[in-house]
Amino acid sequence: MTNDHTPSEMRKQIHMLERQVDRFEQENAALQARQDILVSLNDNIALGITVWVQDGTLLHANRGFTDLTGYTQEDIPDLESWFPAAYPDPDYRAEVMADWTDSGQEPQVTREFRINCRDGQPKDIEFRGAFLPDGKAIVTLADITKRKHTEEALKSSEERYRTVWENTGAAGLIMQSDTTIAKVNSEYEKLSRMSKHEREGKMSWTEFVLPD
């Protein structure tokens, strides 16, 4: 009868256990490395990341959220705390709350709102929300204040240019490289007795040049 517990068999079993332990330690180390990467990303990414429970409780807020808004999770434990703090104006707050309520029917949403930070500074924020099947919502926050200021400055510049263009007192047109008329002003309309709709993007300026 063979003895299964001979020194040779025992060494084999010990070797197998050691290999299993090594494999477990390697897998555990790889898992820990992935977790460390996720934690590092969560803490150092230039975005606010929040996780909300269906009842409105703030389950998680990363460092980026605090850096962006000034608020900590202790300051904002739930939505009842967030909305009055971020949107002190009651009319604007009601508008924002209504918008979020409507968007809850969508799996993913993107919204832009101006919030009031903890130090009283206003910031334009882009919110991106993903609503999970278990009722939780992951919402990221990105500061778009500079982009908004640039867009507003560009819009203001365009309006000033349009005012000068339309009130210069002289007929003017802008043409494309293929000689198509891209834009005409009001004085040009009066001179040519044709509307912008008839000219812009449809006619070449060469049609109005007399042949030699």
Side-chain angles (χ1 to χ4, degrees), residues 35-93:
Q35 290 177 336
D36 290 344
I37 291 172
L38 289 175
V39 169
S40 179
L41 284 172
N42 178 70
D43 286 341
N44 296 291
I45 193 170
L47 287 173
I49 301 176
T50 59
V51 181
W52 302 84
V53 183
Q54 195 168 18
D55 66 2
T57 300
L58 179 57
L59 184 64
H60 172 75
N62 73 337
R63 185 186 303 165
F65 173 78
T66 300
D67 291 343
L68 187 62
T69 68
Y71 299 112
T72 65
Q73 191 167 352
E74 288 71 28
D75 298 323
I76 308 294
D78 48 39
L79 288 174
E80 290 186 3
S81 305
W82 167 249
F83 282 114
Y87 312 103
D89 178 78
D91 293 334
Y92 187 53
R93 180 166 68 246

Side-chain angles (χ1 to χ4, degrees), residues 26-147:
Q26 291 173 4
E27 292 174 351
N28 189 58
L31 178 61
Q32 184 61 50
R34 287 195 292 270
Q35 290 177 336
D36 290 344
I37 291 172
L38 289 175
V39 169
S40 179
L41 284 172
N42 178 70
D43 286 341
N44 296 291
I45 193 170
L47 287 173
I49 301 176
T50 59
V51 181
W52 302 84
V53 183
Q54 195 168 18
D55 66 2
T57 300
L58 179 57
L59 184 64
H60 172 75
N62 73 337
R63 185 186 303 165
F65 173 78
T66 300
D67 291 343
L68 187 62
T69 68
Y71 299 112
T72 65
Q73 191 167 352
E74 288 71 28
D75 298 323
I76 308 294
D78 48 39
L79 288 174
E80 290 186 3
S81 305
W82 167 249
F83 282 114
Y87 312 103
D89 178 78
D91 293 334
Y92 187 53
R93 180 166 68 246
E95 178 184 333
V96 173
M97 292 175 69
D99 191 285
W100 276 115
T101 299
D102 293 340
S103 65
Q105 307 300 319
E106 307 170 38
Q108 294 185 342
V109 296
T110 301
R111 296 290 187 272
E112 294 179 4
F113 298 117
R114 177 164 292 184
I115 70 165
N116 189 68
C117 297
R118 196 173 190 275
D119 62 1
Q121 178 186 2
K123 285 184 179 180
D124 292 301
I125 302 295
E126 180 184 78
F127 294 86
R128 291 181 178 268
F131 298 93
L132 308 181
D134 64 0
K136 293 187 182 69
I138 300 175
V139 181
T140 62
L141 295 79
D143 187 354
I144 59 170
T145 306
K146 289 184 179 180
R147 191 190 82 189

Side-chain angles (χ1 to χ4, degrees), residues 1 3 9 13 24 27 30 32 60-61 66 92 98 104 107 132 143 147 158 174 180 199 207 209:
M1 183 174 180
N3 185 354
E9 290 296 328
Q13 292 179 11
F24 172 79
E27 292 174 351
Q32 184 61 50
H60 172 75
T66 300
Y92 187 53
L132 308 181
D143 187 354
R147 191 190 82 189
E158 289 175 345
I174 298 173
T180 300
R199 295 290 184 118
E207 297 178 43
V209 178

